[in-house]
Amino acid sequence: MTSHDVAVIGGGCVGLSVAKHLVARTELDVAVLEKEHHLAAHQSGRNSGVLHPGFNYPPESKKARFATEGTRRMKAYCAEHDIPCDELGVLVVATTDEEERRLHDLADQAEANGVEWELFESQAEIREHEPHAVGQAALYAPEAASVDSQQYVYTLAREVQKAGVSLYLGHAVSQVRHTEAGYRLTTSNSTIDADYLVNAAGLHADTLAKQVGVGEEYQVVPFRGEYYELTPEKSHLCQTMIYPTPDPELPFLGVHYTRRADGKVIVGPNAVLAFGREAYKNTQFDLAELKETLTYEGFLKLIASPMMLKVAWEELNKSYRKEKFAEASQKLVPEVREADLNKSYAGIRAQLVTDDGELVKDPLFIETEDAVHILNAVSPGLTSSLPFGEEIAKKLEAKE
């Protein structure tokens, strides 16, 4: 039997950030339990790697604060530890009058959040920045950056280990039990006791929380986001990042272009219901988890509207029909052809949904007397990881 003061479940960017800030702020003996035998296998390593500077989030919201502070701190962290990070900027393109009106709302939010921005009001101005993009207007945010997320996670892991954190790889937590002394965690390799618990288990955070009666009004619904990659000879079609104007009525941004820190240009993601919490291919499924989703009252209420059913059908088509994915990408860069897109990786977003069928859009953690359960750390989770982890660490520090 092994015991620690604090057990952090989940070795992703948020869990490791919590550990980093805990050992910096306290004398607590901290352990991080990661179910995989290597890091960044799920959300923390299967994303676009974009640092979002915060223009797309309501002023004074947690998302806005975490994104703006997180972008600044992540850039400094990457510079200190030689992690690839390119400050490329992002071009948010409007192709309709309605989208152009929304650009002005984004500009107001950027101003309120202290984010640099510039409006381009013609196709000519857009082409000066991205020669192959099309649109009638665009908002340019120069502080957006591309980071190697996997190197970032591994750097965090090395840092916390040097600081004395115990990192248990290959320890999948199957049971969390509350005891008189704290918590007993049953893993695939051992049993670990802890006085305090941080649940940062991502795709499985809700399941573990419910074992101790927390967050029973929520459930994670997994959405798969699939990426294509531009062939090397067509990578010049995107020099930085090209995004569509976000629709505030929809939970996902839509297909966009990102030049990564390694120079590759990825296109995507779509957003389709995953048939399992780790079903990274559209041919994979987990019957038990799929049943769990399809019978969940919150999910049934979520998709009940005609708009959501229409969006779901369109996203499903992009997953199984490459030509539909190509059509979506041509809205921003018409020169891209289906043959220019090579299948790349996929990620799964742990989207938290309420029993009432509402998408939880803000970071959400539930604090108890001796634990913090991080139930929602969705986009911009990577960007926000340093300030988010510090905030959770402060919660634990106050419990000592």
Side-chain angles (χ1 to χ4, degrees):
M1 184 75 65
T2 307
S3 63
H4 298 275
D5 295 330
V6 181
V8 179
I9 305 175
C13 58
V14 173
L16 289 169
S17 176
V18 173
K20 165 185 166 65
H21 290 99
L22 268 177
V23 294
R25 302 179 66 90
T26 72
E27 298 297 322
L28 292 168
D29 172 26
V30 180
V32 175
L33 287 69
E34 167 56 45
K35 73 171 189 168
E36 305 295 352
H37 290 279
H38 56 92
L39 298 171
H42 300 290
Q43 290 183 108
S44 294
R46 288 176 170 266
N47 54 67
S48 64
V50 173
L51 301 186
H52 298 273
F55 60 84
N56 193 29
Y57 309 118
E60 300 183 6
S61 66
K62 270 186 180 177
K63 266 196 174 185
R65 177 168 63 86
F66 282 166
T68 52
E69 181 183 343
T71 297
R72 174 180 54 79
R73 289 176 61 176
M74 178 77 89
K75 289 176 182 177
Y77 189 86
C78 289
E80 179 184 355
H81 295 279
D82 294 321
I83 301 168
C85 180
D86 293 335
E87 192 165 330
L88 300 171
V90 62
L91 192 70
V92 183
V93 177
T95 57
T96 66
D97 291 344
E98 175 58 32
E99 288 182 352
E100 186 170 353
R101 283 191 287 271
R102 291 205 297 268
L103 283 185
H104 291 275
D105 294 336
L106 291 181
D108 290 342
Q109 287 187 165
E111 188 69 29
N113 292 337
V115 178
E116 292 182 40
W117 61 277
E118 183 179 355
L119 273 178
F120 299 156
E121 298 183 331
S122 69
Q123 174 69 68
E125 288 182 278
I126 292 172
R127 285 288 173 95
E128 285 180 12
H129 184 77
E130 281 286 356
H132 304 277
V134 298
Q136 62 188 55
L139 181 139
Y140 175 58
E143 295 168 293
S146 179
V147 65
D148 188 321
S149 60
Q150 295 199 8
Q151 287 199 41
Y152 168 60
V153 172
Y154 272 91
T155 302
L156 276 178
R158 287 191 293 269
E159 182 184 10
V160 300
Q161 283 184 292
K162 287 179 182 178
V165 172
S166 300
L167 180 58
Y168 294 91
L169 297 181
H171 280 64
V173 177
S174 58
Q175 184 182 53
V176 178
R177 187 162 60 88
H178 215 167
T179 66
E180 290 184 6
Y183 291 89
R184 175 156 293 178
L185 309 180
T186 303
T187 84
S188 52
N189 265 321
S190 63
T191 301
I192 294 174
D193 284 343
D195 298 332
Y196 300 98
L197 174 69
V198 176
N199 173 8
L203 286 158
H204 303 279
D206 62 325
T207 302
L208 297 180
K210 288 175 183 177
Q211 291 185 6
V212 287
V214 174
E216 294 180 340
E217 67 273 33
Y218 302 102
Q219 184 168 305
V220 165
V221 174
F223 285 91
R224 185 175 59 253
E226 297 153 329
Y227 292 92
Y228 282 83
E229 181 183 316
L230 283 181
T231 57
E233 59 270 20
K234 293 300 179 75
S235 64
H236 67 281
L237 295 177
C238 172
Q239 298 300 312
T240 57
M241 306 176 197
I242 309 171
Y243 278 40
T245 301
D247 185 340
E249 298 301 315
L250 298 177
F252 306 110
L253 178 61
V255 171
H256 51 276
Y257 292 76
T258 301
R259 180 169 285 274
R260 298 197 320 183
D262 60 7
K264 295 179 179 179
V265 176
I266 56 172
V267 187
N270 58 347
V272 63
L273 178 68
F275 299 155
R277 298 194 183 207
E278 296 174 21
Y280 291 108
K281 297 180 181 179
N282 59 17
T283 55
Q284 288 180 301
F285 60 90
D286 182 304
L287 283 177
E289 291 178 351
L290 179 58
K291 180 182 178 182
E292 178 187 46
T293 296
L294 296 179
T295 58
Y296 174 49
E297 61 178 327
F299 175 72
L300 296 175
K301 292 175 182 177
L302 174 67
I303 65 165
S305 73
M307 182 191 72
M308 289 303 296
L309 286 172
K310 179 177 180 291
V311 170
W313 176 250
E314 290 173 351
E315 295 301 305
L316 197 64
N317 263 303
K318 290 177 197 171
S319 179
Y320 289 94
R321 299 174 64 189
K322 184 182 178 183
E323 66 270 22
K324 292 297 182 183
F325 195 103
E327 285 177 16
S329 68
Q330 288 165 351
K331 179 181 177 183
L332 298 174
V333 184
E335 293 174 58
V336 170
R337 297 291 177 264
E338 185 179 341
D340 301 330
L341 298 170
N342 290 329
K343 194 77 172 177
S344 190
Y345 60 96
I348 293 183
R349 175 177 177 148
Q351 177 61 60
L352 199 66
V353 178
T354 71
D355 288 349
D356 293 330
E358 298 294 325
L359 296 169
V360 180
K361 298 179 180 179
D362 290 322
L364 175 69
F365 56 85
I366 298 178
E367 188 178 357
T368 66
E369 183 180 357
D370 52 6
V372 180
H373 295 266
I374 304 170
L375 299 185
N376 206 52
V378 294
S379 180
L382 176 70
T383 303
S384 303
S385 56
L386 290 174
F388 195 0
E390 184 173 36
E391 178 151 327
I392 302 301
K394 289 177 180 178
K395 302 293 184 185
L396 265 292
E397 183 183 20
K399 297 179 188 299
E400 279 193 277

PDB file of all heavy atoms in Angstrom, residues 142-165:
ATOM      1  N   PRO A 142      -2.710  38.852 -33.692  1.00  0.00           N
ATOM      2  CA  PRO A 142      -1.311  38.455 -33.863  1.00  0.00           C
ATOM      3  C   PRO A 142      -0.734  37.621 -32.727  1.00  0.00           C
ATOM      4  O   PRO A 142       0.307  36.987 -32.895  1.00  0.00           O
ATOM      5  CB  PRO A 142      -0.576  39.797 -33.975  1.00  0.00           C
ATOM      6  CG  PRO A 142      -1.460  40.777 -33.270  1.00  0.00           C
ATOM      7  CD  PRO A 142      -2.859  40.306 -33.528  1.00  0.00           C
ATOM      8  N   GLU A 143      -1.391  37.590 -31.568  1.00  0.00           N
ATOM      9  CA  GLU A 143      -0.827  36.882 -30.413  1.00  0.00           C
ATOM     10  C   GLU A 143      -1.081  35.378 -30.426  1.00  0.00           C
ATOM     11  O   GLU A 143      -0.492  34.642 -29.632  1.00  0.00           O
ATOM     12  CB  GLU A 143      -1.375  37.480 -29.117  1.00  0.00           C
ATOM     13  CG  GLU A 143      -0.953  38.917 -28.878  1.00  0.00           C
ATOM     14  CD  GLU A 143      -1.741  39.568 -27.757  1.00  0.00           C
ATOM     15  OE1 GLU A 143      -2.962  39.772 -27.915  1.00  0.00           O
ATOM     16  OE2 GLU A 143      -1.134  39.867 -26.709  1.00  0.00           O
ATOM     17  N   ALA A 144      -1.957  34.903 -31.312  1.00  0.00           N
ATOM     18  CA  ALA A 144      -2.184  33.459 -31.395  1.00  0.00           C
ATOM     19  C   ALA A 144      -0.888  32.763 -31.800  1.00  0.00           C
ATOM     20  O   ALA A 144      -0.098  33.285 -32.581  1.00  0.00           O
ATOM     21  CB  ALA A 144      -3.281  33.153 -32.400  1.00  0.00           C
ATOM     22  N   ALA A 145      -0.688  31.562 -31.255  1.00  0.00           N
ATOM     23  CA  ALA A 145       0.572  30.851 -31.496  1.00  0.00           C
ATOM     24  C   ALA A 145       0.320  29.362 -31.649  1.00  0.00           C
ATOM     25  O   ALA A 145      -0.748  28.849 -31.292  1.00  0.00           O
ATOM     26  CB  ALA A 145       1.547  31.105 -30.350  1.00  0.00           C
ATOM     27  N   SER A 146       1.310  28.690 -32.186  1.00  0.00           N
ATOM     28  CA  SER A 146       1.257  27.234 -32.352  1.00  0.00           C
ATOM     29  C   SER A 146       2.366  26.614 -31.518  1.00  0.00           C
ATOM     30  O   SER A 146       3.527  27.005 -31.622  1.00  0.00           O
ATOM     31  CB  SER A 146       1.437  26.882 -33.834  1.00  0.00           C
ATOM     32  OG  SER A 146       1.412  25.483 -34.026  1.00  0.00           O
ATOM     33  N   VAL A 147       2.007  25.636 -30.694  1.00  0.00           N
ATOM     34  CA  VAL A 147       2.955  25.027 -29.766  1.00  0.00           C
ATOM     35  C   VAL A 147       2.950  23.516 -29.945  1.00  0.00           C
ATOM     36  O   VAL A 147       1.933  22.926 -30.336  1.00  0.00           O
ATOM     37  CB  VAL A 147       2.602  25.408 -28.301  1.00  0.00           C
ATOM     38  CG1 VAL A 147       1.254  24.830 -27.913  1.00  0.00           C
ATOM     39  CG2 VAL A 147       3.666  24.955 -27.332  1.00  0.00           C
ATOM     40  N   ASP A 148       4.087  22.891 -29.679  1.00  0.00           N
ATOM     41  CA  ASP A 148       4.155  21.431 -29.688  1.00  0.00           C
ATOM     42  C   ASP A 148       3.599  20.933 -28.357  1.00  0.00           C
ATOM     43  O   ASP A 148       4.298  20.926 -27.338  1.00  0.00           O
ATOM     44  CB  ASP A 148       5.601  20.974 -29.874  1.00  0.00           C
ATOM     45  CG  ASP A 148       5.726  19.470 -30.097  1.00  0.00           C
ATOM     46  OD1 ASP A 148       4.993  18.720 -29.436  1.00  0.00           O
ATOM     47  OD2 ASP A 148       6.557  19.050 -30.917  1.00  0.00           O
ATOM     48  N   SER A 149       2.345  20.540 -28.346  1.00  0.00           N
ATOM     49  CA  SER A 149       1.661  20.202 -27.097  1.00  0.00           C
ATOM     50  C   SER A 149       2.255  18.970 -26.430  1.00  0.00           C
ATOM     51  O   SER A 149       2.300  18.882 -25.197  1.00  0.00           O
ATOM     52  CB  SER A 149       0.169  20.001 -27.347  1.00  0.00           C
ATOM     53  OG  SER A 149      -0.066  18.954 -28.269  1.00  0.00           O
ATOM     54  N   GLN A 150       2.724  18.006 -27.217  1.00  0.00           N
ATOM     55  CA  GLN A 150       3.285  16.803 -26.613  1.00  0.00           C
ATOM     56  C   GLN A 150       4.595  17.116 -25.901  1.00  0.00           C
ATOM     57  O   GLN A 150       4.832  16.634 -24.782  1.00  0.00           O
ATOM     58  CB  GLN A 150       3.472  15.721 -27.673  1.00  0.00           C
ATOM     59  CG  GLN A 150       2.151  15.244 -28.254  1.00  0.00           C
ATOM     60  CD  GLN A 150       2.246  13.893 -28.936  1.00  0.00           C
ATOM     61  OE1 GLN A 150       3.262  13.220 -28.873  1.00  0.00           O
ATOM     62  NE2 GLN A 150       1.166  13.487 -29.573  1.00  0.00           N
ATOM     63  N   GLN A 151       5.447  17.932 -26.527  1.00  0.00           N
ATOM     64  CA  GLN A 151       6.686  18.313 -25.850  1.00  0.00           C
ATOM     65  C   GLN A 151       6.389  19.106 -24.586  1.00  0.00           C
ATOM     66  O   GLN A 151       7.103  18.981 -23.575  1.00  0.00           O
ATOM     67  CB  GLN A 151       7.579  19.120 -26.790  1.00  0.00           C
ATOM     68  CG  GLN A 151       8.246  18.296 -27.881  1.00  0.00           C
ATOM     69  CD  GLN A 151       9.440  19.002 -28.483  1.00  0.00           C
ATOM     70  OE1 GLN A 151      10.235  19.618 -27.774  1.00  0.00           O
ATOM     71  NE2 GLN A 151       9.565  18.919 -29.799  1.00  0.00           N
ATOM     72  N   TYR A 152       5.361  19.918 -24.626  1.00  0.00           N
ATOM     73  CA  TYR A 152       4.971  20.683 -23.444  1.00  0.00           C
ATOM     74  C   TYR A 152       4.589  19.759 -22.292  1.00  0.00           C
ATOM     75  O   TYR A 152       5.051  19.938 -21.150  1.00  0.00           O
ATOM     76  CB  TYR A 152       3.812  21.601 -23.809  1.00  0.00           C
ATOM     77  CG  TYR A 152       3.108  22.242 -22.636  1.00  0.00           C
ATOM     78  CD1 TYR A 152       3.781  23.078 -21.747  1.00  0.00           C
ATOM     79  CD2 TYR A 152       1.742  22.011 -22.405  1.00  0.00           C
ATOM     80  CE1 TYR A 152       3.124  23.670 -20.669  1.00  0.00           C
ATOM     81  CE2 TYR A 152       1.083  22.602 -21.349  1.00  0.00           C
ATOM     82  CZ  TYR A 152       1.773  23.424 -20.479  1.00  0.00           C
ATOM     83  OH  TYR A 152       1.123  24.002 -19.411  1.00  0.00           O
ATOM     84  N   VAL A 153       3.778  18.751 -22.559  1.00  0.00           N
ATOM     85  CA  VAL A 153       3.340  17.827 -21.513  1.00  0.00           C
ATOM     86  C   VAL A 153       4.535  17.071 -20.932  1.00  0.00           C
ATOM     87  O   VAL A 153       4.666  16.933 -19.708  1.00  0.00           O
ATOM     88  CB  VAL A 153       2.279  16.850 -22.058  1.00  0.00           C
ATOM     89  CG1 VAL A 153       1.973  15.756 -21.035  1.00  0.00           C
ATOM     90  CG2 VAL A 153       0.997  17.591 -22.420  1.00  0.00           C
ATOM     91  N   TYR A 154       5.418  16.595 -21.792  1.00  0.00           N
ATOM     92  CA  TYR A 154       6.583  15.856 -21.301  1.00  0.00           C
ATOM     93  C   TYR A 154       7.521  16.764 -20.498  1.00  0.00           C
ATOM     94  O   TYR A 154       8.141  16.326 -19.517  1.00  0.00           O
ATOM     95  CB  TYR A 154       7.328  15.198 -22.464  1.00  0.00           C
ATOM     96  CG  TYR A 154       6.785  13.818 -22.789  1.00  0.00           C
ATOM     97  CD1 TYR A 154       5.774  13.649 -23.731  1.00  0.00           C
ATOM     98  CD2 TYR A 154       7.264  12.696 -22.127  1.00  0.00           C
ATOM     99  CE1 TYR A 154       5.257  12.393 -24.014  1.00  0.00           C
ATOM    100  CE2 TYR A 154       6.762  11.430 -22.410  1.00  0.00           C
ATOM    101  CZ  TYR A 154       5.764  11.283 -23.347  1.00  0.00           C
ATOM    102  OH  TYR A 154       5.246  10.032 -23.618  1.00  0.00           O
ATOM    103  N   THR A 155       7.619  18.024 -20.890  1.00  0.00           N
ATOM    104  CA  THR A 155       8.447  18.965 -20.128  1.00  0.00           C
ATOM    105  C   THR A 155       7.856  19.198 -18.746  1.00  0.00           C
ATOM    106  O   THR A 155       8.589  19.229 -17.742  1.00  0.00           O
ATOM    107  CB  THR A 155       8.586  20.295 -20.886  1.00  0.00           C
ATOM    108  OG1 THR A 155       9.168  20.043 -22.172  1.00  0.00           O
ATOM    109  CG2 THR A 155       9.465  21.268 -20.128  1.00  0.00           C
ATOM    110  N   LEU A 156       6.548  19.364 -18.685  1.00  0.00           N
ATOM    111  CA  LEU A 156       5.891  19.496 -17.374  1.00  0.00           C
ATOM    112  C   LEU A 156       6.168  18.276 -16.500  1.00  0.00           C
ATOM    113  O   LEU A 156       6.454  18.407 -15.303  1.00  0.00           O
ATOM    114  CB  LEU A 156       4.381  19.644 -17.562  1.00  0.00           C
ATOM    115  CG  LEU A 156       3.782  21.016 -17.857  1.00  0.00           C
ATOM    116  CD1 LEU A 156       2.280  20.887 -18.060  1.00  0.00           C
ATOM    117  CD2 LEU A 156       4.072  22.005 -16.731  1.00  0.00           C
ATOM    118  N   ALA A 157       6.090  17.093 -17.106  1.00  0.00           N
ATOM    119  CA  ALA A 157       6.308  15.850 -16.349  1.00  0.00           C
ATOM    120  C   ALA A 157       7.722  15.791 -15.788  1.00  0.00           C
ATOM    121  O   ALA A 157       7.933  15.419 -14.625  1.00  0.00           O
ATOM    122  CB  ALA A 157       6.022  14.643 -17.236  1.00  0.00           C
ATOM    123  N   ARG A 158       8.698  16.139 -16.610  1.00  0.00           N
ATOM    124  CA  ARG A 158      10.087  16.125 -16.122  1.00  0.00           C
ATOM    125  C   ARG A 158      10.265  17.140 -15.004  1.00  0.00           C
ATOM    126  O   ARG A 158      10.964  16.871 -14.005  1.00  0.00           O
ATOM    127  CB  ARG A 158      11.048  16.432 -17.277  1.00  0.00           C
ATOM    128  CG  ARG A 158      11.208  15.279 -18.267  1.00  0.00           C
ATOM    129  CD  ARG A 158      12.362  15.529 -19.221  1.00  0.00           C
ATOM    130  NE  ARG A 158      12.097  16.654 -20.117  1.00  0.00           N
ATOM    131  CZ  ARG A 158      11.522  16.533 -21.308  1.00  0.00           C
ATOM    132  NH1 ARG A 158      11.146  15.346 -21.746  1.00  0.00           N
ATOM    133  NH2 ARG A 158      11.335  17.597 -22.065  1.00  0.00           N
ATOM    134  N   GLU A 159       9.643  18.294 -15.150  1.00  0.00           N
ATOM    135  CA  GLU A 159       9.781  19.341 -14.136  1.00  0.00           C
ATOM    136  C   GLU A 159       9.193  18.903 -12.793  1.00  0.00           C
ATOM    137  O   GLU A 159       9.830  19.087 -11.740  1.00  0.00           O
ATOM    138  CB  GLU A 159       9.098  20.622 -14.612  1.00  0.00           C
ATOM    139  CG  GLU A 159       9.244  21.776 -13.626  1.00  0.00           C
ATOM    140  CD  GLU A 159       8.486  23.011 -14.054  1.00  0.00           C
ATOM    141  OE1 GLU A 159       7.693  22.941 -15.013  1.00  0.00           O
ATOM    142  OE2 GLU A 159       8.656  24.060 -13.389  1.00  0.00           O
ATOM    143  N   VAL A 160       8.005  18.323 -12.815  1.00  0.00           N
ATOM    144  CA  VAL A 160       7.387  17.943 -11.544  1.00  0.00           C
ATOM    145  C   VAL A 160       8.120  16.769 -10.903  1.00  0.00           C
ATOM    146  O   VAL A 160       8.212  16.691  -9.673  1.00  0.00           O
ATOM    147  CB  VAL A 160       5.885  17.634 -11.706  1.00  0.00           C
ATOM    148  CG1 VAL A 160       5.139  18.853 -12.235  1.00  0.00           C
ATOM    149  CG2 VAL A 160       5.624  16.419 -12.564  1.00  0.00           C
ATOM    150  N   GLN A 161       8.648  15.870 -11.720  1.00  0.00           N
ATOM    151  CA  GLN A 161       9.427  14.770 -11.151  1.00  0.00           C
ATOM    152  C   GLN A 161      10.681  15.281 -10.450  1.00  0.00           C
ATOM    153  O   GLN A 161      11.040  14.818  -9.370  1.00  0.00           O
ATOM    154  CB  GLN A 161       9.791  13.758 -12.233  1.00  0.00           C
ATOM    155  CG  GLN A 161       8.641  12.837 -12.625  1.00  0.00           C
ATOM    156  CD  GLN A 161       9.067  11.783 -13.631  1.00  0.00           C
ATOM    157  OE1 GLN A 161       9.380  12.096 -14.778  1.00  0.00           O
ATOM    158  NE2 GLN A 161       9.097  10.539 -13.204  1.00  0.00           N
ATOM    159  N   LYS A 162      11.363  16.244 -11.053  1.00  0.00           N
ATOM    160  CA  LYS A 162      12.547  16.841 -10.427  1.00  0.00           C
ATOM    161  C   LYS A 162      12.190  17.541  -9.121  1.00  0.00           C
ATOM    162  O   LYS A 162      13.005  17.637  -8.207  1.00  0.00           O
ATOM    163  CB  LYS A 162      13.201  17.828 -11.383  1.00  0.00           C
ATOM    164  CG  LYS A 162      13.935  17.183 -12.550  1.00  0.00           C
ATOM    165  CD  LYS A 162      14.547  18.233 -13.467  1.00  0.00           C
ATOM    166  CE  LYS A 162      15.249  17.583 -14.660  1.00  0.00           C
ATOM    167  NZ  LYS A 162      15.811  18.610 -15.597  1.00  0.00           N
ATOM    168  N   ALA A 163      10.938  18.024  -9.052  1.00  0.00           N
ATOM    169  CA  ALA A 163      10.488  18.713  -7.838  1.00  0.00           C
ATOM    170  C   ALA A 163       9.995  17.756  -6.767  1.00  0.00           C
ATOM    171  O   ALA A 163       9.588  18.196  -5.690  1.00  0.00           O
ATOM    172  CB  ALA A 163       9.391  19.712  -8.198  1.00  0.00           C
ATOM    173  N   GLY A 164      10.009  16.448  -7.066  1.00  0.00           N
ATOM    174  CA  GLY A 164       9.651  15.460  -6.059  1.00  0.00           C
ATOM    175  C   GLY A 164       8.296  14.809  -6.221  1.00  0.00           C
ATOM    176  O   GLY A 164       7.895  13.991  -5.379  1.00  0.00           O
ATOM    177  N   VAL A 165       7.593  15.125  -7.281  1.00  0.00           N
ATOM    178  CA  VAL A 165       6.295  14.498  -7.519  1.00  0.00           C
ATOM    179  C   VAL A 165       6.497  13.056  -7.983  1.00  0.00           C
ATOM    180  O   VAL A 165       7.372  12.772  -8.811  1.00  0.00           O
ATOM    181  CB  VAL A 165       5.499  15.276  -8.588  1.00  0.00           C
ATOM    182  CG1 VAL A 165       4.234  14.524  -8.998  1.00  0.00           C
ATOM    183  CG2 VAL A 165       5.146  16.668  -8.069  1.00  0.00           C
TER     184      VAL A 165
END
